[in-house]
Structure formats: structure tokens, C-alpha cells
Amino acid sequence: MNPSNPSESAPMRAFALVTAMCTAQVLGMLGVFAFPALLPYFIDLWDLSNSQAGWISGIYFAGYSIAVPVLTSLTDHVDARKIYLISCLIGIIANLGFAVFSQGFWSALIFRSLCGIGLAGTFIPGLKALLDRLEIRFLPRAVSFYTACFGLGMSISFYYAGVMFNWFGWEIVFFGAAAGCGLVLLLSMIVLDPMPMEKSEGSSTGILDVLDFRPVWQNYPARTYIIAYMCHMWEMFAARSWMVAFLTFAMTLQPVSTTFMVPTTIMAVAGVFGMAASILFGELAVKFGRRRIVSMVMAISCLLGLSIGFLSAIPYPVLVCLCISYTIFFQGDSAAIHAGVITAAAPDRRGATMALQSLAGFAAASLAPVAAGVVLDITGGGSNVISWGFTFGVMGAAALLGLVLLFKAQKTP
């Protein structure tokens, strides 16, 4: 290869940039699911109710939802790199604060919400920073791999939290998450070159202009996938927040020891499968039609969600396989939905479109763990199979709603 030939070197540059940003994303997500991974421990440590535990899990995504409209919409007006770097600093401070100062429900709420704000300025703004620096021919696969690595980051977060907790205790888990954000800050400063933004005539960065989502909502194809994304996020984050607690309960129903199948490790393995599924279904969506593939994935996810909670007493290895299968499908439509939103967006409103997608999706994600916790509390506190059956039913119902809305959208021009 002649390195001086731009047509030959462009793919290598694109590969290096995508790889670096995917790596940064995973490192920055070490603390995302640290609390849900250690949920049974924190419930005992701080004497939390299931509803309180759900709030602490959900407040992370509430913080994300509050910050993401402004931070992502601003990427249409300022270099996304600036927002990304500042948000890395927020992630460092928030994880350190949780490790040092959290002593119960209220203090945990504060620092987990700050962690969510840090994610709001790195996940989608990071994708925007990546897309702004790539040729258009590289965008579809960049979207697929970057969004799929979100699932990988979740999986590693579960595994990392479980291992570090067993070795060093919960405080070190969050110190390590802060260190991960620090590494991301250094890496992104190296690989993301500053890029001046071109301003069109009459453009404004006033807050009302930044947050004006009416043109985005009037874009029918983008709106369809944004609504589907809400259902996807509700199901995925409710399941991710409570799956460890569910498997911990299921282990108590087994006649023999199942300590070789630790729930946090299972969730890590499941997430890797989910990441691969997201990439696979994203490729299939390009070939066979995005709406068709997303509908198929949601249908299977719905069936698994509506049934898996009622099956908690079946042999544990079989239940583990079902949980991994469920993860494959509730996570599998992620890349296809993201690509649907981005390709449907007007080029000059791509940041605003991605902002509305994230706002809607993570608003659903913030409420879902709370709703699941409330259902647990009113159906027996998660102490019986019926309680978990209804709780997972709340998750499967979201996939069913997404499926119905997609079918309705097909008939509504």
C-alpha cells in the first residue's frame, strides 16, 4: 500500500479512528452498571427497598436524559470533541464522588445522576465526533460497531464490577471507573483532532434554537425509529438493572450449588453475545430491510420477556441460557435502530435528531428500573416466582408496544 495515496490510506485511518473511539467508549463505561451489578449487596448495606434501589439505578439515566438534549444538540454548532472531553472530566469527578461520599440512598442518587450526565456527553457526542471525521462511505459500519460496543461496555461493566468487588470491595470498583474515564480523556485528546465548525447563514446557538426539536419530530422516518428506540431502551435497561438480582434469586431455588455460574459473569457473557447480535442484525437490516429485522427481533424479545420471569425455578443452567438468549434479542436491534435514526436525519440536524433519540430513549431507560422495582415491591418483593414473572412482563410488554408501533407506522404515511 502506498501511504501517500489518500484513497488507500482513508480506510486505515477510518479503521484506526473507529477502533480508538470504540475502545474509549468501553473504558468510559466501567461504572455504568457497577451499581446494578452489586445491587443485592447495596440493598443489604444501605437497607434499601426495591423501589429505592430502582431509583438509584434509574437516576443514572435520568441524569443522562436531562443533559443529553443540550449536549448532543450543541454538536451541530460546536465541535463535539469539546463536549466529549468536558464530559470525561465529569465522569471522573462523579465516580470518585460515589466512591468517597456515598453512604446511602440520597448521596448515591446525587453521584449516580452526575455519572449519567457524564455518559450523556460521551456516548452520542462521541458518535457525532466520530461521524464528523469519517467519509460518508464509512458511516453505516461505524454506527454499527460503535453502538454495538455500548453493549460490550455494559457487559464489561458487569464483569469488572463483580471481579473488583470480590477482590477489593465496592469503593475500588468506582475508583477504577474514574480511572477508566481518565484514560478515555487522554485517548480522545490524541485521536480526535480539533475540527472547526462551519456556520451557515442565520444559524444560532441560542438555547431555544438548540432545543427546538419540532423539525426533527416532523421527520416521519426518524420519528418512527425514535419511538422504537424508546421501547428498546425501556426493555434493555430494566432487564440489565434487575437481571443480576433475578439470577441471585433463582440460585436460591436450586437444589445444588451454582456458584460456578456467578450472575455478574453471566451478564458479561450475555452482553458479548448481545453485542455480536447487534452487529449481525445491523448487517441483516441493510440487506433485508431495517423495519423488518427490527420487528422480528422485537417479537422474539417480547416472547422471552413475557415468559422468562415465570421460569425462574427451572434448572439453573437452562435459565442462564434463556437469559443469554433474552439479552441477544433485547440488545440485538440496537445498531439497526441507531442506523435508522441517523440515516433518516437531515444532515444539518443530525446532532438534534440524535439528541431527541437519546432524550426519549434514556428517559424511558430511567423510568424502567423504577417501574420494575415498584412491580417487585407490590407483588411480593421478588421473593417468589410470580413476582419476577410480572416484573419481566413489564419488560416484555415494551417490546410488544414497539412491535405494534412499527406495524402501525408501516400503514401510516
Side-chain angles (χ1 to χ4, degrees):
M1 180 189 301
N2 181 3
S4 64
N5 187 334
S7 64
E8 292 183 352
S9 60
M12 291 302 298
R13 290 197 303 270
F15 175 79
L17 183 57
V18 171
T19 301
M21 290 303 294
C22 287
T23 301
Q25 182 181 330
V26 171
L27 285 173
M29 291 181 64
L30 290 178
V32 171
F33 278 92
F35 182 83
L38 307 179
L39 193 58
Y41 173 80
F42 280 115
I43 288 175
D44 292 337
L45 178 67
W46 292 337
D47 194 25
L48 302 172
S49 68
N50 288 310
S51 298
Q52 287 177 317
W55 273 110
I56 296 174
S57 291
I59 201 68
Y60 188 105
F61 307 107
Y64 181 104
S65 299
I66 291 169
V68 77
V70 175
L71 296 179
T72 305
S73 295
L74 279 172
T75 62
D76 283 332
H77 307 278
V78 300
D79 187 359
R81 178 182 186 268
K82 296 179 181 178
I83 295 168
Y84 191 88
L85 296 178
I86 292 171
S87 300
C88 288
L89 289 173
I90 294 173
I92 294 170
I93 294 169
N95 281 292
L96 285 176
F98 192 96
V100 175
F101 298 111
S102 289
Q103 298 179 348
F105 177 68
W106 291 108
S107 53
L109 278 182
I110 293 170
F111 289 107
R112 289 300 283 172
S113 65
L114 285 176
C115 288
I117 293 172
L119 181 66
T122 53
F123 176 38
I124 298 301
L127 177 58
K128 181 64 161 52
L130 175 62
L131 299 183
D132 287 344
R133 289 161 174 79
L134 292 176
E135 297 178 20
I136 192 169
R137 57 181 168 142
F138 301 123
L139 298 191
R141 281 201 168 91
V143 171
S144 290
F145 279 92
Y146 185 89
T147 56
C149 281
F150 187 83
L152 178 61
M154 290 190 293
S155 301
I156 291 178
S157 178
F158 272 106
Y159 182 76
Y160 158 82
V163 171
M164 295 297 286
F165 171 73
N166 288 331
W167 286 354
F168 304 111
W170 71 266
E171 293 94 342
I172 297 299
V173 172
F174 291 92
F175 279 123
C181 292
L183 290 174
V184 173
L185 178 64
L186 294 176
L187 178 60
S188 56
M189 289 178 66
I190 295 170
V191 301
L192 294 177
D193 294 327
M195 189 178 75
M197 299 294 293
E198 296 182 7
K199 292 190 177 182
S200 59
E201 286 187 34
S203 66
S204 173
T205 56
I207 190 65
L208 294 181
D209 298 284
V210 169
L211 297 178
D212 184 6
F213 294 123
R214 289 173 297 178
V216 174
W217 190 250
Q218 291 164 4
N219 181 336
Y220 173 75
R223 183 173 75 238
T224 299
Y225 283 107
I226 288 172
I227 295 173
Y229 186 67
M230 291 179 66
C231 298
H232 159 77
M233 293 292 281
W234 175 287
E235 181 184 27
M236 180 168 69
F237 280 88
R240 282 289 189 178
S241 295
W242 287 101
M243 194 82 82
V244 169
F246 169 64
L247 288 171
T248 301
F249 162 75
M251 290 173 68
T252 67
L253 305 179
Q254 304 301 313
V256 296
S257 173
T258 55
T259 53
F260 66 95
M261 303 182 82
V262 180
T264 52
T265 302
I266 291 166
M267 289 308 299
V269 172
V272 173
F273 278 99
M275 180 197 70
S278 181
I279 295 172
L280 172 62
F281 290 131
E283 293 290 323
L284 292 176
V286 174
K287 186 173 183 180
F288 297 105
R290 190 168 286 114
R291 191 170 299 181
R292 178 184 301 172
I293 294 299
V294 171
S295 297
M296 179 202 72
V297 173
M298 280 189 165
I300 298 174
S301 185
C302 169
L303 293 175
L304 288 169
L306 293 175
S307 60
I308 198 168
F310 293 107
L311 301 174
S312 51
I314 65 176
Y316 188 72
V318 178
L319 183 64
V320 167
C321 292
L322 283 177
C323 288
I324 292 174
S325 298
Y326 187 35
T327 304
I328 287 172
F329 287 98
F330 72 58
Q331 193 173 321
D333 53 1
S334 179
I337 293 175
H338 272 284
V341 172
I342 291 169
T343 56
D348 62 335
R349 293 189 179 274
R350 183 176 288 159
T353 304
M354 294 162 72
L356 183 58
Q357 173 198 2
S358 289
L359 170 62
F362 279 88
S366 68
L367 294 174
V370 180
V374 170
V375 171
L376 273 177
D377 280 338
I378 66 178
T379 57
S383 60
N384 57 73
V385 172
I386 298 299
S387 182
W388 284 107
F390 280 112
T391 300
F392 275 86
V394 170
M395 305 170 199
L400 177 61
L401 177 60
L403 186 62
V404 170
L405 291 174
L406 283 174
F407 274 114
K408 182 179 179 181
Q410 285 181 315
K411 301 178 181 179
T412 306

